[in-house]
């Protein structure tokens, strides 16, 4: 858990929604975020610490209204935690570097992984692929 001073700094830097999602395990409304219908080539970084977490090459249309990926850029970049809140058994996904809440992982994704990383746009910052 971050100390109060760094939390205050984050509050200044992030929007209220970004803060709520990443620090209070919030969830943005489906179809409301910046990236669920975003199709450019590039990478998605943690909004808090800027670590690259997902690639557009693993992003797919899940129909959920949240940006969905079938694989993380590197499995070591995300931390998976059992989440028993809201009367459900889910797997929470956090940034391994700064512990920001990103979203949840479900076992109903497409091949080759069969996984669905259901992320919040508010947790991510998109970086376009640099010019070749
Ligand atoms: Zn992070």
């Amino acid at each position: 858990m971050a100390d109060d001073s760094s939390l205050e700094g984050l509050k200044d830097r992030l929007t209220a929604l970004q803060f709520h999602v990443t620090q209070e395990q919030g969830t943005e409304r489906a179809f409301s975020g910046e990236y669920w219908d975003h199709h450019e080539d590039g990478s998605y970084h943690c909004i808090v610490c800027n670590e690259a977490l997902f690639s557009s090459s693993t992003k797919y249309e899940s129909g959920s209204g949240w940006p969905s990926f079938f694989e993380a850029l590197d499995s070591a970049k995300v931390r998976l935690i059992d989440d028993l809140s809201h009367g459900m058994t889910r797997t929470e996904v956090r940034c391994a570097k700064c512990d920001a809440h990103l979203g949840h992982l479900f076992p109903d994704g497409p091949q080759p992984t069969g996984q669905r990383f259901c992320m919040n746009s508010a947790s991510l910052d998109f970086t376009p692929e640099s010019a070749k």
Side-chain angles (χ1 to χ4, degrees):
M1 208 53 192
D3 64 38
D4 284 340
S5 57
S6 66
L7 269 184
E8 282 309 307
L10 275 181
K11 269 185 174 160
D12 290 340
R13 192 156 63 79
L14 303 180
T15 67
L17 179 65
Q18 288 166 346
F19 186 88
H20 175 61
V21 171
T22 60
Q23 307 304 310
E24 299 169 343
Q25 287 81 46
T27 302
E28 69 197 15
R29 275 186 301 116
F31 304 102
S32 73
E34 198 176 347
Y35 297 131
W36 69 272
D37 195 22
H38 186 259
H39 299 286
E40 283 178 61
D41 288 339
S43 53
Y44 293 83
H45 296 237
C46 174
I47 191 73
V48 175
C49 72
N50 201 37
E51 182 79 351
L53 300 174
F54 295 97
S55 161
S56 59
S57 64
T58 62
K59 191 172 187 294
Y60 74 101
E61 286 309 312
S62 66
S64 67
W66 290 283
S68 302
F69 305 84
F70 60 77
E71 192 170 40
L73 212 49
D74 183 327
S75 59
K77 288 179 180 279
V78 293
R79 195 154 77 86
L80 305 179
I81 303 170
D82 288 338
D83 176 7
L84 306 178
S85 65
H86 304 290
M88 295 178 274
T89 302
R90 298 183 295 175
T91 302
E92 183 190 352
V93 183
R94 292 190 184 205
C95 172
K97 188 170 175 187
C98 76
D99 215 32
H101 173 78
L102 305 172
H104 287 90
L105 175 64
F106 300 94
D108 59 3
Q111 293 308 315
T113 63
Q115 297 193 314
R116 171 166 62 100
F117 285 85
C118 183
M119 302 291 98
N120 288 279
S121 303
S123 299
L124 301 172
D125 185 30
F126 178 74
T127 302
E129 200 171 288
S130 48
K132 299 206 166 59

